[in-house]
Amino acid sequence: MSWLEQLYLTYENAIQNPENQNATRKPLLPPYHTLQNAHIEIILDENGNFIDVNPVNDKADQEIIIPCTEKSASRTSGEAPHPLCDKIQYCAKDYQGNKKCYFSSYFSLLKAWKEFDPTNRFLTAIYKYVEKGTLCTDVLSSSKIKLKSNQDIGDLLVRWIVEIPGENETKCWKRKDLYESWKRFNETESRIEDVCFVTGIKSVIAINHPKRVRNSGDGAKLISSNDKEEFTFLGKFYLNEMGNEKLPTQAAAVSVDVSQKAHSTLRWLIERQGFKNGNQVIVSFTNSGKTPPDIFASTSSIFDESNENLIEETSKASYSDLGQAFAKKLNSKMAGYRAELGNTDKIIVIGLDSAGPGRIAITYYRELGSSEFIDRIETWHQQMAWHFYLRVENSGKKNQIYGGYTILAPSPSIIAEACYGPKRDEDFQKYKKSVIERLLHCIIDGSPIPEDLLNTVVRKVSNPLAYPKEKHWQWEQALSVACALYRCYSERNTNLKIKYDMALEKNRNDRDYLYGRLLAVAEHIEEIALNVAKENRETNAARLMQQFADHPYSTWRNIESALRPYISRLKVNRPGFLQNMQTLLDEIHGLFKPGDYENDSRLSGLYLLGYHCQRLEFKKEKNQHNLEESNNE
């Protein structure tokens, strides 16, 4: 029950701070209230006379706070009215549609509430109007309400506006005095009392727990005990005093107050700072109400950099940078979080998912000190940092997309796309959910990068021709992700414990790293030769990259043979460049340890680090050459 306790404490702290409640469109709900989408609004005067009816077409304005009973908040079918705002099949005495009319139970509940609080003029006006029984007639006679084909009027949810002279707020769903009135009324009702598992205090126990946790259409519940005829209550549970029913409170005795506040807090946190991926939701929070750093953000998102800043940063990127500037900026940002959160705040991470429409499972739960949490986030971004290819929209020039490299750690969503994307079909969503859940353990628990996940990205990147030519930037991003994953994998793997630099390591003599460098050099030679001849086609290095990764020695001989006509061309047009490349090839060959060069076994992801670093080194040299030419002009 720890998660319930933490959510309950968060509610008690957050409700005291109005700024927390206004930080998002979805509010922190008062107890015994829920969110529903309204379809029509009925306007009354203070005497309960009908004035007008309007459709609620603006989706941003449809979701409202309504009072609810413990049963109606969790209703899926059957008779369980909300006390004020509800569907027409509940509110209209004259409803005669295809659905069952539940007016009697709705009216009885509204009457009991009105009699409990007889001085509330809003309640009295609505009660008087509902008692007349003309709601359906008034709605159907209005030309403003247009029903869709096969739509039953009974499905429309009604909200109320009561125009009372001297009252500034006429919308009943926004009146806090109605919130408080309904809460007081609920607390007078007789309920089952028991010791709450969360507070340890004897309290009124919740029998039905709220739904709509992840969104307003979510019918799944975190706590449910309605399976009274099957296997839920077999074993140690005993019958009630009547001897005819086993009570669900024997399994989970949670007070109504705790259940209402905890579910309301979780709903509020998910809307404000939760990560959503279909049915999967992950949220981190402090019970003080302060917002911790986003677990699933890329480093650029954590830095909160504008597009203009990113364009400037990528333009000035130094490919020889070992990440010092990045590390300083990350340390500074994390120091800010440490100062804001302090050392006493506890940070809770909770993951939710559901396989079906009825039940939500807690798939992940951790409680950490704020310092420990920030350390783990910082470690993740440090170990996953790499030269990442970014596409940024230039707001100064309409529809212009700028592409360039900057150092950052990619977000888990981008990693999932590199593994299985970028398609947005059902299979991708299923795989993405799995990737997110597995990476959560890497980020929060410091677990090693899953080897199968790394191998998936490496295999995908090793086939660049699988990406459409116009989407080549997606392959560049996937290559960056593969390098970042391998770098983090090597540092965390207990059998390796190797830390690779972000710049080219010219003296590193690992076989796979050197073969990656050879591939980059061959590709560069062919690209320059094709550019000289003004030809636009894929290089042999790109076409044979997958085969090269599987059999580097035998494939390299094919690539090397295919370079001969390009070398002949460059001898005439670019002899200086060719001499430099041949010298570089000789240097790389000279670094191989005896027997490594002839080894034809499959390359690990390390070859991509050598390949990418060598490519970036060529970009650095090109930038320096362009800078020297501009200075000489």
Side-chain angles (χ1 to χ4, degrees):
M1 293 294 175
S2 180
W3 62 276
L4 276 172
E5 181 184 13
Q6 295 301 330
L7 289 168
Y8 174 70
L9 292 174
T10 303
Y11 184 97
E12 296 295 347
N13 290 325
I15 202 69
Q16 305 297 326
N17 189 349
E19 291 183 7
N20 285 337
Q21 298 178 62
N22 296 329
T24 176
R25 184 179 63 84
K26 189 166 286 190
L28 186 58
L29 296 178
Y32 312 105
H33 286 75
T34 188
L35 293 168
Q36 284 277 22
N37 288 330
H39 305 109
I40 61 173
E41 59 185 23
I42 292 179
I43 305 171
L44 309 174
D45 67 15
E46 62 180 322
N47 297 313
N49 297 314
F50 177 79
I51 298 176
D52 200 3
V53 59
N54 294 312
V56 185
N57 295 323
D58 183 2
K59 289 186 178 181
D61 186 43
Q62 282 184 341
E63 194 171 63
I64 61 171
I65 302 173
I66 66 168
C68 63
T69 65
E70 189 182 342
K71 193 174 180 180
S72 72
S74 59
R75 82 182 183 200
T76 53
S77 60
E79 189 170 3
H82 298 308
L84 195 65
C85 303
D86 211 331
K87 293 180 178 180
I88 283 179
Q89 71 175 122
Y90 282 92
C91 300
K93 187 177 183 179
D94 55 342
Y95 170 69
Q96 295 180 344
N98 297 324
K99 298 182 176 294
K100 190 173 181 179
C101 181
Y102 295 128
F103 175 77
S104 178
S105 58
Y106 167 81
F107 186 70
S108 297
L109 183 59
L110 178 62
K111 182 179 180 181
W113 183 13
K114 193 267 297 185
E115 289 174 350
F116 170 79
D117 189 5
T119 60
N120 192 302
R121 294 187 291 173
F122 288 84
L123 271 180
T124 302
I126 295 168
Y127 172 80
K128 286 181 179 178
Y129 172 71
V130 169
E131 188 179 28
K132 295 176 185 177
T134 61
L135 192 154
C136 239
T137 304
D138 293 336
V139 171
L140 291 172
S141 61
S142 172
S143 58
K144 296 179 182 178
I145 307 302
K146 308 290 184 183
L147 294 177
K148 299 176 183 177
S149 58
N150 300 323
Q151 185 181 22
D152 192 294
I153 191 174
D155 286 329
L156 302 182
L157 191 133
V158 178
R159 69 186 189 189
W160 307 97
I161 295 176
V162 182
E163 295 184 347
I164 298 177
E167 293 286 352
N168 293 325
E169 184 55 81
T170 61
K171 298 173 180 177
C172 291
W173 62 93
K174 292 186 177 182
R175 290 197 61 90
K176 293 183 179 179
D177 60 330
L178 280 174
Y179 299 167
E180 189 58 34
S181 173
W182 175 246
K183 181 175 179 292
R184 292 197 311 271
F185 173 71
N186 262 274
E187 290 170 349
T188 63
E189 296 290 284
S190 59
R191 308 277 183 87
I192 298 172
E193 288 194 355
D194 205 337
V195 176
C196 174
F197 283 14
V198 176
T199 62
I201 300 171
K202 192 170 185 179
S203 314
V204 175
I205 298 302
I207 303 300
N208 296 288
H209 298 270
K211 58 180 182 177
R212 299 185 179 88
V213 174
R214 294 167 295 186
N215 54 66
S216 58
D218 185 15
K221 293 185 186 180
L222 275 164
I223 306 175
S224 179
S225 55
N226 58 358
D227 184 17
K228 298 178 182 178
E229 298 178 358
E230 297 296 335
F231 299 101
T232 304
F233 300 119
L234 290 179
K236 66 180 181 180
F237 302 105
Y238 52 85
L239 296 174
N240 63 6
E241 294 177 359
M242 303 294 293
N244 58 9
E245 185 179 5
K246 293 182 178 182
L247 299 177
T249 54
Q250 297 170 40
V254 180
S255 70
V256 176
D257 190 51
V258 168
S259 178
Q260 292 279 330
K261 290 179 178 178
H263 283 84
S264 178
T265 304
L266 184 56
R267 191 184 295 120
W268 175 68
L269 288 167
I270 289 171
E271 176 67 20
R272 187 173 77 156
Q273 61 206 53
F275 171 85
K276 301 176 186 176
N277 176 41
N279 291 330
Q280 183 187 51
V281 172
I282 298 166
V283 63
S284 58
F285 63 96
T286 67
N287 52 35
S288 67
K290 297 173 184 175
T291 306
D294 187 354
I295 299 171
F296 295 109
S298 65
T299 317
S300 60
S301 298
I302 284 184
F303 290 162
D304 196 24
E305 294 175 313
S306 67
N307 285 2
E308 288 73 15
N309 289 338
L310 287 172
I311 290 173
E312 182 181 1
E313 186 175 311
T314 53
S315 302
K316 295 179 180 178
S318 171
Y319 302 113
S320 59
D321 179 19
L322 299 179
Q324 295 96 333
F326 167 84
K328 287 179 182 178
K329 192 157 48 168
L330 180 64
N331 289 339
S332 175
K333 188 68 179 179
M334 291 302 155
Y337 277 115
R338 286 189 177 90
E340 182 181 345
L341 294 173
N343 295 321
T344 56
D345 273 331
K346 181 185 288 185
I347 295 180
I348 300 94
V349 183
I350 185 169
L352 309 173
D353 202 357
S354 60
R359 302 287 182 270
I360 307 174
I362 296 177
T363 57
Y364 185 89
Y365 185 80
R366 295 288 185 276
E367 293 181 13
L368 303 95
S370 60
S371 180
E372 183 182 12
F373 177 84
I374 293 171
D375 285 345
R376 293 186 183 185
I377 296 292
E378 186 173 10
T379 299
W380 168 258
H381 283 268
Q382 287 172 343
Q383 295 178 345
M384 281 293 293
W386 192 257
H387 295 279
F388 190 81
Y389 186 80
L390 271 183
R391 276 167 55 89
V392 185
E393 183 177 351
N394 189 344
S395 56
K397 296 181 180 179
K398 191 176 181 181
N399 297 327
Q400 181 179 349
I401 303 296
Y402 180 86
Y405 281 93
T406 187
I407 294 176
L408 59 82
S411 69
S413 294
I414 292 175
I415 295 173
E417 286 192 9
C419 292
Y420 302 108
K423 293 181 180 178
R424 295 294 189 274
D425 54 17
E426 288 185 10
D427 286 339
F428 171 71
Q429 293 302 328
K430 178 178 67 175
Y431 292 133
K432 182 181 178 182
K433 184 186 293 187
S434 172
V435 172
I436 296 297
E437 192 168 326
R438 298 176 75 186
L439 289 179
L440 183 60
H441 290 274
C442 300
I443 298 170
I444 302 301
D445 301 331
S447 303
I449 298 294
E451 191 169 352
D452 64 300
L453 200 66
L454 171 63
N455 292 336
T456 298
V457 184
V458 171
R459 283 195 301 270
K460 196 171 180 67
V461 171
S462 297
N463 186 17
L465 299 189
Y467 293 78
K469 200 165 187 178
E470 66 276 8
K471 299 286 187 180
H472 181 72
W473 61 270
Q474 292 176 344
W475 177 79
E476 291 281 357
Q477 285 195 344
L479 175 60
S480 300
V481 169
C483 292
L485 283 174
Y486 190 85
R487 182 171 182 261
C488 185
Y489 168 82
S490 300
E491 193 165 346
R492 293 188 177 193
N493 190 296
T494 53
N495 295 326
L496 296 175
K497 289 290 183 182
I498 302 172
K499 185 172 183 178
Y500 293 99
D501 291 341
M502 288 187 226
L504 181 64
E505 299 179 62
K506 296 182 179 181
N507 295 320
R508 182 170 286 280
N509 61 357
D510 295 305
R511 163 186 170 266
D512 295 6
Y513 193 86
L514 293 174
Y515 261 122
R517 291 186 64 188
L518 286 178
L519 184 66
V521 175
E523 181 184 66
H524 191 49
I525 291 172
E526 191 171 349
E527 282 177 344
I528 296 301
L530 290 172
N531 187 51
V532 168
K534 297 183 179 178
E535 296 180 29
N536 183 18
R537 60 178 175 80
E538 295 293 345
T539 64
N540 288 307
R543 290 191 297 104
L544 296 174
M545 192 171 182
Q546 181 67 68
Q547 185 179 334
F548 179 82
D550 293 335
H551 306 287
Y553 176 65
S554 55
T555 308
W556 171 248
R557 289 185 296 174
N558 295 333
I559 294 174
E560 202 171 26
S561 298
L563 283 177
R564 288 170 187 165
Y566 302 109
I567 290 174
S568 299
R569 183 183 302 170
L570 292 171
K571 280 181 180 179
V572 177
N573 296 283
R574 299 286 294 276
F577 166 79
L578 180 60
Q579 179 63 41
N580 291 336
M581 291 301 102
Q582 289 177 328
T583 301
L584 180 57
L585 285 172
D586 291 341
E587 290 175 358
I588 296 171
H589 278 101
L591 289 170
F592 278 96
K593 290 179 281 189
D596 278 359
Y597 179 66
E598 296 80 12
N599 184 350
D600 206 28
S601 60
R602 178 178 293 177
L603 298 172
S604 70
L606 178 58
Y607 95 94
L608 291 176
L609 265 69
Y611 170 76
H612 199 209
C613 286
Q614 187 65 67
R615 289 174 82 233
L616 293 175
E617 184 72 10
F618 291 143
K619 289 181 182 292
K620 182 188 76 170
E621 292 171 358
K622 181 181 177 182
N623 289 346
Q624 288 176 345
H625 177 71
N626 292 338
L627 182 61
E628 289 171 2
E629 284 189 345
S630 63
N631 290 337
N632 292 332
E633 290 178 356

